[in-house]
Every structure is written in C-alpha cells, then in structure tokens.
Amino acid sequence: MGFDYSNTLDGVRSFTDVMWPHENEAFGNMETYLRRGMRYRRPGKNKTNMGFVAHTDKDFIIVLHENQVDGLEIKERDGEWFTVELLPTSYIVMSGDAAMAWSNERLHSPYHRVTMNGNASRYSIA
Ligand SMILES: O=C(O)CCC(=O)C(=O)O
Ligand SMILES: [Fe+2]
C-alpha cells in the first residue's frame, strides 16, 4: 500500500481526508513528514522470504507500526540480527542517517531489513 505525493501537503491531506474524514485535521499540518505504507506478501513456495533488503533510512527519525506480523529485523553493532516483536499497540522508533549525522554519530542509524516467515501478509506504516 502507498499513496501518491506523500511528501507534499496536498498529497498528505488527500490521504488523511480519505482515512479520517471527520477527525485528525492536525494530520494535514504535518507537511514535513514522509509516510510509507508497505505490504509484504506471505512467502510463496520456493520464493525468497526477503521482504526488504538491509538498509538504513535517510530520515531523521522513523516511527513504525505493523499489523502484528513480525518481520522487521535490526542489526546490532556487533553484527547480529534480531527480530523486533511489537505488542499490538506499540510502535518502534529508530534514528535515521540524518540524526546520526546531526548528532556526530552519538545516535546510531541501524541497518534493518524485513524477512517474511509464516502464512500472513505483513503491513507496516512508517
Ligand atoms: O516494513 C518495515 O518494517 C520496514 C520498512 C522500512 O524499513 C522502510 O520503509 O524504510
Ligand atoms: Fe527502512
């Protein structure tokens, strides 16, 4: 899932008008935010389970929520990967490359990826 022009005020407003027609007017004022909606299909037979290759995000800060289908993995400084297990009402906050540069690397922008397992599709919004 995604929506067009998510980096423009008009694009964000047309999305929030559809999603929340009677509330959350303030969402329309967040013109400096970029939203990403992702759908990962459940892995098919003999198909790779890689949903999103390892990368860092260019953003300053990332707030991510998922539909209770795990898959997000984060690389620790020692090179080990761990799977993020979110509670239904929780979200994860990560620093991105911009925060790492701004903080002279006091904040770390972690490599992360999505690996699909199991039988359900995964949705995330960041
Ligand atoms: O879907 C996820 O959990 C990760 C998405 C992601 O890494 C991104 O949009 O940059
Ligand atoms: Fe990312």
Side-chain angles (χ1 to χ4, degrees):
M1 181 182 89
F3 66 96
D4 293 332
Y5 310 112
S6 58
N7 58 342
T8 68
L9 183 56
D10 285 345
V12 171
R13 283 215 172 113
S14 62
F15 176 72
T16 56
D17 284 351
V18 171
M19 295 298 287
W20 301 279
H22 306 298
E23 54 186 319
N24 292 325
E25 203 170 288
F27 285 178
N29 296 327
M30 299 194 300
E31 67 267 29
T32 57
Y33 284 68
L34 174 67
R35 289 190 195 88
R36 293 190 288 273
M38 303 292 290
R39 175 183 180 220
Y40 304 90
R41 289 197 174 89
R42 64 189 170 137
K45 275 192 183 146
N46 304 321
K47 291 265 172 65
T48 175
N49 63 356
M50 176 57 70
F52 203 139
V53 294
H55 66 283
T56 61
D57 289 343
K58 306 289 169 266
D59 318 67
F60 192 87
I61 196 165
I62 300 98
V63 180
L64 188 138
H65 182 67
E66 66 181 21
N67 67 328
Q68 295 172 59
V69 175
D70 291 337
L72 178 63
E73 298 174 324
I74 294 184
K75 193 177 190 180
E76 296 180 57
R77 286 175 194 257
D78 66 5
E80 290 290 310
W81 289 91
F82 71 92
T83 302
V84 175
E85 294 175 11
L86 285 181
L87 295 170
T89 55
S90 62
Y91 51 85
I92 183 167
V93 179
M94 285 191 292
S95 12
D97 295 348
M100 190 160 135
W102 176 81
S103 68
N104 283 335
E105 301 191 7
R106 288 187 184 93
L107 296 172
H108 181 64
S109 173
Y111 269 89
H112 54 284
R113 66 187 181 192
V114 175
T115 303
M116 292 298 295
N117 292 298
N119 282 322
S121 295
R122 177 170 188 274
Y123 296 86
S124 71
I125 188 158

